[in-house]
Amino acid sequence: MAAISNLLGLLPQCMVTGAIPVCRCLHTSAWWANSSRALLTRVHRQAYARLYPVLLVKQDGSTINIRYREPRRILAMPVDLDALSPEERRVRLRKREAQLREKEEPELSDTFDLEQYKQFWTKK
């Protein structure tokens, strides 16, 4: 090591610094791609950069822990209606129709009498 350091001392300074690559800037990322940008506004992206742990519920009721692109707690697989028996299919379709039907709101009886409060906004 001592012999190498003595040889480096004999070489001109420009040759020694030119042989070693030097990073001339402190920030290697672009100004718009750093972490401070996320402080001002949310990051606008269609897909999330990481995967989130999600519980996947299969058609038969079994569950699996998977990694999913959106943060959710539970992800349920849809039931294949063609694989169901005719009785089960009718039951599921009735449940769907019940959800689609709008619930009738009961009509509220109004006992407000305008003449009773007319004295408060008429000029005397």
Side-chain angles (χ1 to χ4, degrees):
M1 275 313 241
I4 294 174
S5 64
N6 288 338
L7 288 175
L8 288 177
L10 297 175
L11 292 174
Q13 186 67 27
C14 63
M15 291 179 69
V16 173
T17 56
I20 302 170
V22 178
C23 181
R24 301 203 185 271
C25 60
L26 295 175
H27 304 289
T28 57
S29 63
W31 65 272
W32 51 268
N34 59 13
S35 64
S36 298
R37 179 177 178 263
L39 291 173
L40 302 175
T41 180
R42 69 179 179 89
V43 179
H44 301 282
R45 59 177 68 147
Q46 298 267 333
Y48 291 95
R50 61 171 284 205
L51 297 176
Y52 298 91
V54 175
L55 186 68
L56 176 69
V57 180
K58 289 187 172 184
Q59 294 175 354
D60 59 355
S62 61
T63 59
I64 302 173
N65 289 322
I66 63 167
R67 308 285 292 169
Y68 193 64
R69 65 181 177 270
E70 295 178 8
R72 294 186 179 186
R73 289 185 184 262
I74 296 176
L75 187 65
M77 295 294 292
V79 177
D80 186 18
L81 292 177
D82 297 331
L84 296 176
S85 67
E87 296 85 25
E88 291 175 342
R89 186 179 304 141
R90 275 189 235 114
V91 170
R92 287 200 177 262
L93 289 176
R94 282 190 201 125
K95 285 182 182 179
R96 284 186 186 178
E97 290 173 2
Q99 290 176 355
L100 294 177
R101 274 189 247 138
E102 295 181 19
K103 296 179 181 177
E104 296 178 13
E105 296 181 14
E107 190 173 322
L108 300 174
S109 61
D110 190 12
T111 60
F112 179 74
D113 184 21
L114 186 63
E115 297 298 324
Q116 185 180 1
Y117 298 98
K118 191 175 182 177
Q119 62 183 345
F120 294 115
W121 60 77
T122 57
K123 292 184 181 179
K124 295 182 181 179

